[in-house]
Amino acid sequence: MKLSGESVMSVNSKSSIRAEKLRIKGTVQGVGFRPFVFVLAKSEGLTGTVLNDGRGVEAVVEGPSEALERFRTRLLKELPPLASIESVEAEDIPVEGRQDFVILESRSNSVSTVIPADAAVCEACLKELTDKNNRRYRYPFINCTHCGPRYTITAQLPYDRPQTSMKVFPMCPDCLQEYKDPLDRRFHAQPNACDVCGPHVELKDKTGAPVSCEDEIAELLRQIQGGKIAAVKGLGGFHLVCDAANAVAVSELRRRKHRPFKPFAVMTLNDLSASRFVRISEKASKELHSPQAPIVLCPKTNDADRLLPGIAPELNRIGIMMPYTPIHWLLFFEAIGRPEDPDWYKKECDLVLVMTSANAGGEPLVIGNDEAVQKLDGIADLFLTHNRDILIRCDDSVMQQRDQDVQLIRRARGFTPVAVRLPYGGPSVIATGPWLKNTACLTKGDHAFLTQHIGDTDRVSNCRTLARAVEHLSEIFEITPKYIACDLHPDFYSTSLAEELADKYDAELVPVQHHHAHIAAVMADHGLSEPVLGLALDGVGLGTDNKPWGGELLKVTPEGFERLSSIAPIKMPGADKCAREGWRMAAKIFAENGKTDALEKLAKDVNKPSLRLIAAQANAPETTSLGRLFDAAASMFGICHISSYEGEAPVRLQAASEGRRGQNRADLVEVISGHPNFVRLLLALSEYADKRQAAADFQETLAQVLAKKVITVSEKEQIRKVCLSGGCCLNSLLTQRLRKLLEQQELQVYEGLKVPPNDGGVSLGQAWVVLMRLHSTAKE
């Protein structure tokens, strides 16, 4: 946050009365900021006005000099829970003898503010929700200026009710009185409503016909506990919900979603309830109970698989979440008998619910009521819908618990569209991101806005969602780009979209190498623009030599990047098929090294009699991808031959090593022309009888070899800052070991904080590459 335009004493020296106009930027709309300013000004005896506009909040304050100074100090220190200030610019204005302090209607002008992110139910609303004497008792859409829907119901700025999907719900006299009272918690809460005037829920059967019942929430819970699978409408889309402790229901959900092994996230009432099956760190707990309320992957307890059979097979973690909408809270409130104890939500509750995105595999999240009935036909047994439209799809955000912190994996609800603040700005850029785990990024000044998680662009529906997300952010933030950044790969949809946008805006198209963008994303996240070393540990990205890269050591500067080293290439018989079928690379390695017995065993394990022919392919492409090396290792160790979901093999390999201390077997790693070759290591470890120890030794050796390479290059290049990024950096065992080894040599290590290390952060990196290059050129 910056504070500029310090005022001088007003000319009205007799009474030391001054008047200032304050321009306040940041997350200051839809978060109770105007009433906060109103109350603050009143308490200091100041007069003036406050209003929303496209640039943030404008406040005019008049009064004694000392009171003005106190007002500005408190403005920064006593913010509402969801508000944040990026800058306050102040200018002297004439003293007019204003008599009162009032809140004015919003006005529109050039947009430079932000839409608040959706926020979980606050404690005050939760208390009212379950207080039978409160007029909003068990009302499924309770909210205030401290919580509730924001981004997902907003069509355009300024953030006011007519610009949201709440415009069709005129407030009743009671709600309107709250809305107009500056001392009320719901003052100018745009989604404010009650059972008299607001949205309502409706329970439907699998055909979409209304279910006759006395209480929709009670009936929904009864059917879920009876083994049914429900589609429940939330903030950014529908969830598929079933009883997580019911193995039959979980198995049936897997069958219907064609999701045999991919883990499900579960929702529990609180930490105490979750402690039966996961271990939650203090930092993870803080995130779980934050306004963002993400899913957090936490380590399993010994009883986890018994208590929640089939939830996360062959893995050592479970993704958990806490209730964040009123509907979620009401399900748990119902499950424990609607207690009158105001602290009921702190007690243990047996109910655990699967909460997984409601979509057919790979498709966008379902958001419409009719759409849900149509697209979830054959998956959901019943539907809980409501008549408040979701305007923007937004999936749950995901984080993982690590030894010392938590790490973002998927950036969506609660984090979007909160801006990443850049060290400096420049002409607006639109970056269209990669192929997998796509997000796009749009910049305006020194703000970078990432879209919500879009997903893989191998489906037309996701491609349309990406194009619409870019269009939406362009419109609401009034962005006209001068540059369009994209991946280097010419065949990606995101590249085609970038070409269309370049034509539309007559903007310059800037292709950016995939791993260059990975490292630049971490730089943008930490405000770095000086030269860094970047260790890009990833799946596959097209290199400048038109070969698939993924285990790269780069030198990144504002002007561009230099590839200093990589892991030695390995062959991929079947090319991209190897991402799913790791046995292909395992077979190639066994065949080329005369391991006939291992090859025959592998053929039996994967039931591929033709495996020898596949392994003998002479023209198999080569890759330096660390992700493919993990796939090969998982197959060679007998941990996972075929991935049913992206990243399954590496995730299961990491899980297999849980609790084992890895041994450094760097003696088995050959260095060929400066490139570490891990084939001998893989062959040796594949002969271990204990596959868990093989997995632990593999990861420890990787960390040791990669760290040694970085340290050597750091000394040569005289660069002490190292950025870690790429999908393999989600392997917390590997990255935390790398960090420790590098920091022991006094290197400064940076990882993604506001963006994930996987492809979800690539678009930010693409945009930052362009802005760094422009800034560097302008300085010359």
Side-chain angles (χ1 to χ4, degrees):
M1 198 285 300
K2 64 181 181 180
L3 188 64
S4 62
E6 295 290 344
S7 293
V8 296
M9 291 295 293
S10 169
V11 294
N12 192 340
S13 57
K14 289 184 179 180
S15 58
S16 295
I17 298 297
R18 295 165 51 196
E20 294 179 338
K21 180 186 289 185
L22 304 180
R23 162 59 56 197
I24 307 163
K25 295 181 180 179
T27 304
V28 291
Q29 292 188 13
V31 293
F33 195 82
R34 286 179 297 172
F36 161 68
V37 171
F38 175 91
V39 172
L40 200 61
K42 286 280 193 180
S43 70
E44 293 292 348
L46 301 174
T47 59
T49 60
V50 63
L51 60 83
N52 278 347
D53 61 19
R55 293 178 292 168
V57 166
E58 178 187 285
V60 171
V61 285
E62 182 175 315
S65 178
E66 296 81 1
L68 285 175
E69 294 302 321
R70 287 195 302 271
F71 171 83
R72 282 174 49 167
T73 299
R74 294 177 63 191
L75 185 73
L76 303 179
K77 291 184 177 180
E78 301 176 16
L79 289 172
L82 301 181
S84 64
I85 293 177
E86 292 179 354
S87 65
V88 179
E89 299 172 0
E91 65 172 300
D92 261 346
I93 59 173
V95 173
E96 296 183 358
R98 297 168 178 86
Q99 297 300 306
D100 200 359
F101 197 94
V102 296
I103 297 175
L104 301 179
E105 291 298 317
S106 300
R107 68 183 181 210
S108 298
N109 50 23
S110 178
V111 173
S112 60
T113 188
V114 297
I115 303 174
D118 299 282
V121 176
C122 70
E123 191 168 18
C125 281
L126 177 58
K127 294 279 190 182
E128 294 173 350
L129 178 68
T130 55
D131 176 2
K132 66 179 183 180
N133 297 315
N134 191 279
R135 75 184 189 92
R136 288 189 176 86
Y137 177 61
R138 299 184 71 245
Y139 179 57
F141 303 94
I142 192 170
N143 68 88
C144 70
T145 54
H146 301 159
C147 67
R150 301 290 194 275
Y151 177 60
T152 53
I153 64 168
T154 301
Q156 60 189 33
L157 291 173
Y159 173 69
D160 282 321
R161 195 179 185 100
Q163 320 276 35
T164 74
S165 58
M166 287 297 295
K167 66 182 179 182
V168 298
F169 299 102
M171 282 180 275
C172 67
D174 287 339
C175 286
L176 191 59
Q177 182 178 351
E178 295 169 333
Y179 184 85
K180 290 183 175 182
D181 181 359
L183 300 180
D184 195 283
R185 198 174 82 251
R186 294 187 171 87
F187 176 71
H188 280 246
Q190 304 308 331
N192 189 34
C194 70
D195 193 45
V196 174
C197 62
H200 63 269
V201 296
E202 185 174 12
L203 192 64
K204 302 175 182 178
D205 65 20
K206 62 183 178 181
T207 70
V211 173
S212 177
C213 60
E214 292 185 3
D215 188 284
E216 291 86 356
I217 300 294
E219 179 62 17
L220 172 66
L221 179 65
R222 187 187 71 79
Q223 295 212 32
I224 289 172
Q225 292 181 318
K228 299 295 186 182
I229 297 168
V232 178
K233 191 174 183 179
L235 283 182
F238 279 77
H239 283 115
L240 288 169
V241 184
C242 72
D243 184 350
N246 186 329
V248 174
V250 172
S251 177
E252 180 62 15
L253 179 56
R254 289 197 175 282
R255 186 190 69 79
R256 294 182 189 181
K257 279 207 75 176
H258 307 290
R259 184 172 170 169
F261 299 112
K262 189 174 182 180
F264 287 131
V266 300
M267 180 176 285
T268 186
L269 179 59
N270 49 38
D271 291 15
L272 178 63
S273 304
S275 64
R276 295 169 295 159
F277 52 87
V278 289
R279 298 188 301 275
I280 304 173
S281 70
E282 184 177 341
K283 289 188 177 180
S285 178
K286 183 177 179 180
E287 295 294 341
L288 286 165
H289 296 282
S290 70
Q292 292 77 28
I295 298 168
V296 180
L297 304 182
C298 298
K300 286 180 178 178
T301 64
N302 293 334
D303 283 340
D305 290 327
R306 178 182 62 83
L307 294 171
L308 303 178
I311 290 298
E314 301 295 328
L315 300 180
N316 60 337
R317 299 178 298 177
I318 293 177
I320 65 165
M321 60 202 307
M322 301 300 168
Y324 63 84
T325 71
I327 290 173
H328 298 152
W329 285 111
L330 289 173
L331 284 169
F332 286 94
F333 185 58
E334 192 70 29
I336 59 177
R338 303 184 192 177
E340 295 187 14
D341 181 357
D343 291 328
W344 69 273
Y345 57 92
K346 299 177 183 178
K347 305 298 194 300
E348 187 170 0
C349 176
D350 289 338
L351 180 67
V352 184
L353 299 173
V354 168
M355 284 275 174
T356 189
S357 301
N359 56 356
E363 292 290 327
L365 186 65
V366 171
I367 62 173
N369 297 341
D370 294 339
E371 176 193 16
V373 174
Q374 177 188 358
K375 292 190 174 181
L376 300 177
D377 181 33
I379 300 178
D381 296 313
L382 69 161
F383 299 83
L384 186 75
T385 67
H386 59 71
N387 59 338
R388 184 183 69 201
D389 288 342
I390 298 171
L391 301 183
I392 304 296
R393 285 181 174 84
C394 203
D395 218 327
D396 293 314
S397 293
V398 182
M399 307 182 86
Q400 67 171 337
Q401 176 177 311
R402 305 198 299 183
D403 287 346
Q404 304 299 325
D405 56 15
V406 290
Q407 181 182 43
L408 199 58
I409 295 176
R410 183 169 72 195
R411 191 178 193 270
R413 177 188 51 76
F415 294 93
T416 303
V418 177
V420 175
R421 192 75 179 273
L422 303 172
Y424 48 77
S428 287
V429 180
I430 294 179
T432 56
W435 177 258
L436 300 175
K437 295 181 174 62
N438 181 278
T439 64
C441 177
L442 296 82
T443 71
K444 186 169 187 177
D446 60 357
H447 288 66
F449 302 98
L450 279 82
T451 66
Q452 69 275 28
H453 168 80
I454 302 296
D456 301 346
T457 54
D458 57 351
R459 294 174 180 266
V460 172
S461 50
N462 284 344
C463 295
R464 289 174 181 156
T465 300
L466 171 61
R468 176 57 192 140
V470 170
E471 181 182 20
H472 177 67
L473 287 183
S474 298
E475 289 175 352
I476 61 174
F477 292 122
E478 297 178 355
I479 291 173
T480 302
K482 296 294 184 183
Y483 297 88
I484 308 293
C486 64
D487 196 274
L488 199 60
H489 202 299
D491 298 332
F492 287 178
Y493 168 75
S494 55
T495 303
S496 299
L497 176 61
E499 292 168 348
E500 293 175 11
L501 292 170
D503 288 341
K504 174 182 177 180
Y505 291 107
D506 191 24
E508 182 179 338
L509 184 68
V510 184
V512 179
Q513 199 278 325
H514 187 81
H515 302 102
H516 183 196
H518 265 301
I519 302 306
V522 178
M523 295 173 70
D525 201 345
H526 289 273
L528 302 176
S529 58
E530 63 271 32
V532 302
L533 294 180
L535 199 53
L537 308 177
D538 198 30
V540 166
L542 184 66
T544 54
D545 57 1
N546 286 322
K547 294 181 180 179
W549 295 0
E552 315 304 316
L553 179 56
L554 308 179
K555 176 183 176 180
V556 178
T557 67
E559 295 76 27
F561 81 98
E562 180 183 355
R563 188 190 193 197
L564 302 178
S565 182
S566 70
I567 66 172
I570 53 175
K571 292 183 179 179
M572 297 192 301
D576 289 344
K577 290 181 180 179
C578 292
R580 182 172 290 273
E581 301 174 351
W583 61 263
R584 290 175 173 271
M585 289 176 300
K588 189 68 173 174
I589 292 171
F590 284 143
E592 288 187 338
N593 289 275
K595 300 294 182 180
T596 305
D597 291 346
L599 193 62
E600 290 180 356
K601 182 179 184 304
L602 181 60
K604 291 179 181 178
D605 288 345
V606 298
N607 193 25
K608 293 286 183 181
S610 60
L611 185 145
R612 283 182 174 275
L613 295 176
I614 294 171
Q617 287 183 13
N619 61 345
E622 292 184 332
T623 182
T624 56
S625 165
L626 187 64
R628 296 297 81 80
L629 191 72
F630 265 99
D631 293 332
S635 180
M636 293 174 73
F637 302 165
I639 293 171
C640 180
H641 300 298
I642 300 174
S643 294
S644 63
Y645 58 89
E646 188 193 357
E648 179 179 1
V651 169
R652 287 177 59 180
L653 187 146
Q654 178 185 344
S657 65
E658 177 74 16
R660 293 298 179 95
R661 183 181 179 85
Q663 301 298 313
N664 181 11
R665 301 301 310 276
D667 57 302
L668 295 172
V669 178
E670 299 177 273
V671 178
I672 303 172
S673 300
H675 304 289
N677 187 312
F678 294 94
V679 169
R680 277 186 58 209
L681 174 70
L682 292 177
L683 290 169
L685 297 182
S686 70
E687 296 179 358
Y688 278 25
D690 187 344
K691 64 184 180 181
R692 294 179 60 197
Q693 191 61 48
D697 287 4
F698 174 66
Q699 291 165 105
E700 174 64 19
T701 304
L702 269 180
Q704 293 280 354
V705 171
L706 293 173
K708 183 178 179 180
K709 185 66 179 179
V710 172
I711 292 165
T712 301
V713 171
S714 170
E715 293 174 352
K716 179 182 177 182
E717 297 288 336
Q718 292 297 295
I719 298 174
R720 309 298 295 172
K721 294 183 177 181
V722 181
C723 295
L724 306 179
S725 191
C728 295
C729 288
L730 291 176
N731 182 315
S732 56
L733 294 178
L734 176 62
T735 53
Q736 291 185 105
R737 190 73 180 110
L738 270 171
R739 173 181 282 276
K740 183 176 181 180
L741 292 168
L742 294 174
E743 289 181 340
Q744 285 175 349
Q745 300 300 313
E746 298 184 351
L747 297 182
Q748 298 174 51
V749 181
Y750 299 88
E751 298 178 76
L753 294 175
K754 304 180 191 72
V755 294
N758 59 28
D759 282 7
V762 163
S763 61
L764 174 63
Q766 291 171 344
W768 187 229
V769 165
V770 174
L771 290 174
M772 279 196 296
R773 192 175 299 165
L774 291 172
H775 188 74
S776 176
T777 302
K779 286 175 23 178
E780 293 177 356

XYZ file of all heavy atoms in Angstrom, residues 353-410:
447
model
N -19.232 -35.042 3.933
C -19.847 -35.033 2.602
C -18.793 -34.962 1.509
O -17.860 -34.155 1.592
C -20.779 -33.826 2.460
C -21.960 -33.749 3.423
C -22.685 -32.418 3.258
C -22.920 -34.919 3.207
N -18.938 -35.792 0.491
C -18.165 -35.590 -0.731
C -18.668 -34.318 -1.380
O -19.872 -34.103 -1.512
C -18.333 -36.774 -1.703
C -17.781 -36.423 -3.082
C -17.645 -38.021 -1.175
N -17.744 -33.430 -1.765
C -18.090 -32.201 -2.484
C -17.163 -32.123 -3.686
O -16.006 -31.710 -3.572
C -17.885 -30.973 -1.594
C -18.947 -30.771 -0.547
S -20.364 -29.874 -1.206
C -21.477 -29.967 0.203
N -17.668 -32.552 -4.825
C -16.841 -32.538 -6.024
C -17.543 -31.752 -7.121
O -18.778 -31.672 -7.153
C -16.533 -33.979 -6.490
O -15.554 -33.955 -7.532
C -17.777 -34.681 -6.997
N -16.772 -31.160 -7.992
C -17.328 -30.307 -9.047
C -18.364 -31.067 -9.862
O -18.131 -32.199 -10.295
C -16.217 -29.817 -9.970
O -15.249 -29.090 -9.253
N -19.485 -30.428 -10.092
C -20.573 -31.055 -10.845
C -20.368 -30.797 -12.332
O -20.707 -29.737 -12.850
C -21.921 -30.516 -10.392
N -19.770 -31.761 -12.972
C -19.582 -31.692 -14.424
C -19.339 -33.106 -14.934
O -18.953 -33.996 -14.179
C -18.401 -30.780 -14.790
C -17.095 -31.196 -14.134
O -17.059 -32.125 -13.330
N -16.027 -30.520 -14.467
N -19.600 -33.294 -16.202
C -19.184 -34.525 -16.841
C -17.695 -34.382 -17.100
O -17.216 -33.290 -17.414
C -19.957 -34.733 -18.143
N -16.931 -35.471 -16.939
C -15.474 -35.425 -16.946
C -14.853 -34.458 -17.935
O -15.035 -34.600 -19.150
N -14.115 -33.478 -17.413
C -13.392 -32.534 -18.254
C -14.190 -31.353 -18.741
O -13.614 -30.392 -19.255
N -15.515 -31.394 -18.586
C -16.361 -30.302 -19.052
C -16.350 -29.150 -18.036
O -15.987 -29.341 -16.879
C -17.802 -30.793 -19.249
C -17.979 -31.775 -20.400
C -17.812 -31.121 -21.751
O -18.177 -29.931 -21.885
O -17.299 -31.778 -22.672
N -16.789 -27.956 -18.455
C -16.862 -26.845 -17.500
C -17.854 -27.128 -16.384
O -18.795 -27.912 -16.541
C -17.332 -25.665 -18.368
C -17.004 -26.044 -19.766
C -17.129 -27.535 -19.825
N -17.656 -26.464 -15.280
C -18.538 -26.558 -14.132
C -19.955 -26.136 -14.529
O -20.148 -25.133 -15.198
C -18.002 -25.648 -13.033
C -18.653 -25.659 -11.661
C -18.470 -27.016 -11.003
C -18.020 -24.575 -10.792
N -20.951 -26.904 -14.099
C -22.352 -26.595 -14.389
C -22.817 -25.461 -13.491
O -22.578 -25.481 -12.282
C -23.225 -27.845 -14.171
C -24.705 -27.492 -14.258
C -22.878 -28.916 -15.197
N -23.497 -24.444 -14.073
C -23.958 -23.308 -13.258
C -25.454 -23.035 -13.371
O -26.031 -22.411 -12.486
C -23.187 -22.016 -13.604
C -23.400 -21.601 -15.068
C -21.718 -22.163 -13.284
C -22.796 -20.238 -15.401
N -26.116 -23.458 -14.439
C -27.528 -23.156 -14.635
C -28.430 -24.276 -14.148
O -28.058 -25.451 -14.177
N -29.649 -23.941 -13.728
C -30.575 -24.940 -13.205
C -30.978 -25.957 -14.275
O -30.912 -27.165 -14.051
C -31.822 -24.255 -12.641
C -31.500 -23.361 -11.459
O -30.456 -23.488 -10.839
N -32.407 -22.441 -11.152
N -31.403 -25.473 -15.434
C -31.778 -26.393 -16.506
C -30.564 -27.129 -17.047
O -30.633 -28.312 -17.387
C -32.463 -25.619 -17.645
C -33.803 -25.027 -17.225
O -34.390 -25.526 -16.234
O -34.259 -24.055 -17.867
N -29.444 -26.409 -17.112
C -28.192 -27.019 -17.563
C -27.814 -28.191 -16.662
O -27.344 -29.237 -17.134
C -27.094 -25.954 -17.561
C -25.704 -26.473 -17.931
C -24.607 -25.467 -17.606
O -24.845 -24.509 -16.845
O -23.480 -25.672 -18.108
N -28.013 -28.031 -15.367
C -27.656 -29.087 -14.415
C -28.472 -30.347 -14.674
O -27.930 -31.458 -14.723
C -27.876 -28.592 -12.991
N -29.779 -30.187 -14.830
C -30.641 -31.341 -15.062
C -30.259 -32.048 -16.353
O -30.231 -33.285 -16.429
C -32.117 -30.904 -15.094
C -33.016 -32.072 -15.490
C -32.537 -30.346 -13.733
N -29.914 -31.264 -17.374
C -29.569 -31.845 -18.661
C -28.206 -32.531 -18.642
O -28.067 -33.689 -19.052
C -29.566 -30.748 -19.728
C -29.137 -31.236 -21.107
C -28.971 -30.089 -22.091
O -29.212 -28.936 -21.769
N -28.556 -30.405 -23.307
N -27.183 -31.824 -18.146
C -25.811 -32.337 -18.253
C -25.459 -33.349 -17.174
O -24.493 -34.103 -17.326
C -24.818 -31.182 -18.238
C -24.903 -30.309 -19.481
C -23.760 -29.329 -19.562
C -23.788 -28.576 -20.885
N -22.665 -27.613 -21.004
N -26.224 -33.350 -16.085
C -25.936 -34.305 -15.021
C -26.919 -35.467 -15.025
O -27.028 -36.216 -14.051
C -25.960 -33.595 -13.662
C -24.942 -32.444 -13.503
C -25.098 -31.765 -12.153
C -23.517 -32.945 -13.699
N -27.607 -35.615 -16.139
C -28.519 -36.751 -16.306
C -27.730 -38.055 -16.206
O -26.717 -38.235 -16.886
C -29.200 -36.661 -17.673
C -30.179 -37.804 -17.905
O -30.798 -38.264 -16.927
O -30.296 -38.256 -19.066
N -28.174 -38.946 -15.346
C -27.473 -40.202 -15.155
C -26.397 -40.125 -14.090
O -25.790 -41.150 -13.745
N -26.135 -38.922 -13.576
C -25.137 -38.766 -12.506
C -25.818 -38.425 -11.183
O -25.576 -39.055 -10.164
C -24.093 -37.691 -12.866
C -23.341 -38.067 -14.151
C -23.109 -37.497 -11.718
C -22.329 -37.030 -14.591
N -26.686 -37.406 -11.192
C -27.341 -36.953 -9.965
C -28.725 -37.577 -9.819
O -29.473 -37.700 -10.796
C -27.453 -35.435 -9.959
N -29.070 -37.945 -8.576
C -30.397 -38.487 -8.270
C -31.392 -37.383 -7.948
O -32.608 -37.597 -8.059
C -30.314 -39.430 -7.067
C -29.458 -40.652 -7.349
O -29.642 -41.274 -8.407
O -28.597 -40.968 -6.507
N -30.899 -36.237 -7.510
C -31.771 -35.113 -7.180
C -30.953 -33.832 -7.235
O -29.711 -33.864 -7.275
C -32.417 -35.281 -5.807
C -31.545 -35.191 -4.542
C -32.415 -34.918 -3.311
C -30.776 -36.489 -4.327
N -31.668 -32.703 -7.249
C -31.033 -31.407 -7.430
C -31.560 -30.420 -6.398
O -32.776 -30.322 -6.206
C -31.329 -30.841 -8.825
C -30.828 -31.707 -9.948
C -31.577 -32.784 -10.400
C -29.614 -31.446 -10.566
C -31.127 -33.586 -11.440
C -29.149 -32.233 -11.599
C -29.910 -33.311 -12.040
N -30.654 -29.691 -5.760
C -31.061 -28.536 -4.962
C -30.644 -27.302 -5.755
O -29.449 -26.995 -5.870
C -30.403 -28.520 -3.580
C -30.938 -27.396 -2.685
C -32.336 -27.742 -2.168
C -30.009 -27.113 -1.500
N -31.618 -26.614 -6.304
C -31.346 -25.433 -7.124
C -31.827 -24.185 -6.379
O -32.472 -24.265 -5.334
C -32.065 -25.518 -8.477
O -33.482 -25.444 -8.260
C -31.724 -26.814 -9.192
N -31.499 -23.037 -6.934
C -32.077 -21.786 -6.440
C -32.167 -20.798 -7.594
O -31.629 -21.037 -8.689
C -31.279 -21.224 -5.254
C -29.836 -20.939 -5.526
N -29.407 -19.900 -6.322
C -28.705 -21.554 -5.083
C -28.085 -19.882 -6.351
N -27.629 -20.871 -5.620
N -32.870 -19.701 -7.381
C -33.157 -18.761 -8.470
C -32.299 -17.504 -8.434
O -32.672 -16.479 -8.997
C -34.645 -18.394 -8.490
C -35.121 -17.768 -7.188
O -34.503 -17.950 -6.144
N -36.234 -17.044 -7.246
N -31.138 -17.570 -7.769
C -30.145 -16.500 -7.907
C -29.133 -16.969 -8.947
O -28.399 -17.934 -8.731
C -29.447 -16.218 -6.577
C -28.465 -15.025 -6.642
C -27.748 -14.821 -5.316
N -26.822 -15.909 -5.029
C -26.368 -16.210 -3.828
N -26.765 -15.521 -2.778
N -25.523 -17.221 -3.648
N -29.105 -16.292 -10.076
C -28.252 -16.741 -11.171
C -26.768 -16.609 -10.844
O -26.341 -15.627 -10.219
C -28.535 -15.942 -12.444
C -29.875 -16.294 -13.070
O -30.411 -17.365 -12.732
O -30.372 -15.495 -13.892
N -26.001 -17.598 -11.267
C -24.542 -17.522 -11.241
C -24.107 -16.958 -12.590
O -24.410 -17.532 -13.636
C -23.909 -18.908 -11.017
C -24.338 -19.479 -9.661
C -22.387 -18.834 -11.109
C -23.943 -20.938 -9.453
N -23.440 -15.826 -12.577
C -23.029 -15.192 -13.830
C -21.650 -15.650 -14.292
O -21.368 -15.667 -15.490
C -23.037 -13.665 -13.680
C -24.379 -13.035 -13.308
C -24.261 -11.518 -13.276
C -25.479 -13.472 -14.268
N -20.784 -16.003 -13.333
C -19.423 -16.403 -13.664
C -19.124 -17.760 -13.024
O -19.236 -17.912 -11.804
C -18.390 -15.371 -13.148
C -18.708 -13.974 -13.688
C -16.969 -15.798 -13.528
C -18.597 -13.851 -15.190
N -18.748 -18.743 -13.857
C -18.311 -20.025 -13.313
C -17.053 -19.829 -12.474
O -16.143 -19.127 -12.869
C -17.969 -21.007 -14.435
C -19.139 -21.602 -15.156
C -18.669 -22.569 -16.225
N -19.790 -23.251 -16.834
C -20.516 -22.757 -17.836
N -20.191 -21.573 -18.348
N -21.539 -23.426 -18.331
N -16.993 -20.481 -11.340
C -15.790 -20.377 -10.512
C -15.710 -21.593 -9.605
O -16.511 -21.752 -8.683
C -15.820 -19.085 -9.692
S -14.202 -18.526 -9.164
N -14.738 -22.448 -9.893
C -14.563 -23.688 -9.141
C -13.941 -23.394 -7.778
O -13.502 -22.276 -7.499
C -13.666 -24.635 -9.938
C -14.106 -26.079 -9.813
O -14.606 -26.455 -8.741
O -13.940 -26.839 -10.790
N -13.897 -24.405 -6.928
C -13.236 -24.266 -5.635
C -11.727 -24.121 -5.817
O -11.124 -24.775 -6.669
C -13.509 -25.493 -4.757
C -14.962 -25.603 -4.354
O -15.542 -24.584 -3.946
O -15.521 -26.711 -4.457
N -11.129 -23.267 -5.027
C -9.674 -23.170 -4.998
C -9.112 -24.341 -4.201
O -9.776 -24.882 -3.312
C -9.234 -21.847 -4.375
O -9.590 -20.765 -5.211
N -7.875 -24.711 -4.530
C -7.236 -25.859 -3.877
C -5.836 -25.466 -3.411
O -5.090 -24.816 -4.151
C -7.139 -27.076 -4.833
C -6.511 -28.270 -4.108
C -8.501 -27.449 -5.392
N -5.501 -25.864 -2.180
C -4.165 -25.666 -1.628
C -3.679 -26.986 -1.065
O -4.458 -27.927 -0.893
C -4.183 -24.597 -0.533
C -4.818 -23.285 -0.944
S -4.778 -22.018 0.346
C -3.158 -21.323 0.031
N -2.385 -27.062 -0.778
C -1.861 -28.236 -0.095
C -1.058 -27.832 1.131
O -0.356 -26.816 1.132
C -1.011 -29.094 -1.025
C 0.288 -28.501 -1.499
C 1.150 -29.521 -2.240
O 1.012 -30.727 -2.058
N 2.033 -29.040 -3.097
N -1.213 -28.622 2.176
C -0.455 -28.417 3.401
C 0.948 -28.961 3.206
O 1.134 -30.071 2.710
C -1.158 -29.137 4.551
C -0.432 -29.078 5.882
C -1.239 -29.745 6.982
O -2.430 -29.484 7.149
N -0.614 -30.626 7.738
N 1.949 -28.154 3.578
C 3.336 -28.607 3.543
C 3.903 -28.523 4.958
O 3.203 -28.139 5.894
C 4.147 -27.769 2.557
C 3.556 -27.752 1.157
C 4.539 -27.302 0.098
N 5.037 -25.958 0.296
C 5.862 -25.336 -0.550
N 6.289 -25.963 -1.637
N 6.280 -24.107 -0.311
N 5.169 -28.866 5.115
C 5.753 -28.892 6.463
C 5.662 -27.544 7.157
O 5.297 -27.451 8.329
C 7.218 -29.338 6.394
C 7.351 -30.827 6.100
O 6.342 -31.531 6.215
O 8.462 -31.269 5.759
N 6.005 -26.472 6.423
C 6.087 -25.152 7.037
C 5.008 -24.184 6.581
O 4.870 -23.108 7.148
C 7.462 -24.535 6.732
C 8.644 -25.383 7.164
C 8.685 -25.633 8.651
O 8.302 -24.768 9.438
N 9.143 -26.804 9.060
N 4.260 -24.540 5.546
C 3.315 -23.569 4.985
C 2.227 -24.289 4.202
O 2.067 -25.509 4.312
C 4.071 -22.569 4.079
C 4.852 -23.263 2.965
O 4.601 -24.460 2.699
O 5.713 -22.619 2.335
N 1.470 -23.542 3.437
C 0.497 -24.098 2.501
C 0.806 -23.521 1.123
O 1.380 -22.442 0.998
C -0.957 -23.772 2.902
C -1.362 -24.524 4.149
C -1.143 -22.275 3.099
N 0.439 -24.260 0.091
C 0.767 -23.867 -1.278
C -0.486 -23.935 -2.146
O -1.268 -24.887 -2.072
C 1.839 -24.799 -1.838
C 2.278 -24.484 -3.260
C 3.313 -25.488 -3.761
O 3.186 -26.690 -3.557
N 4.343 -24.992 -4.436
N -0.663 -22.916 -2.970
C -1.812 -22.860 -3.867
C -1.618 -23.836 -5.033
O -0.549 -23.879 -5.652
C -1.972 -21.439 -4.395
C -3.307 -21.025 -4.990
C -4.444 -21.207 -3.993
C -3.237 -19.574 -5.445
N -2.651 -24.611 -5.330
C -2.626 -25.551 -6.455
C -3.570 -25.102 -7.559
O -3.243 -25.188 -8.742
C -3.017 -26.972 -5.979
C -1.972 -27.514 -5.003
C -3.170 -27.916 -7.166
C -2.337 -28.875 -4.426
N -4.764 -24.644 -7.168
C -5.742 -24.152 -8.146
C -6.310 -22.839 -7.626
O -6.839 -22.776 -6.526
C -6.865 -25.182 -8.353
C -7.866 -24.773 -9.413
C -8.790 -25.927 -9.770
N -9.749 -26.237 -8.727
C -10.460 -27.365 -8.670
N -10.287 -28.295 -9.578
N -11.330 -27.559 -7.691
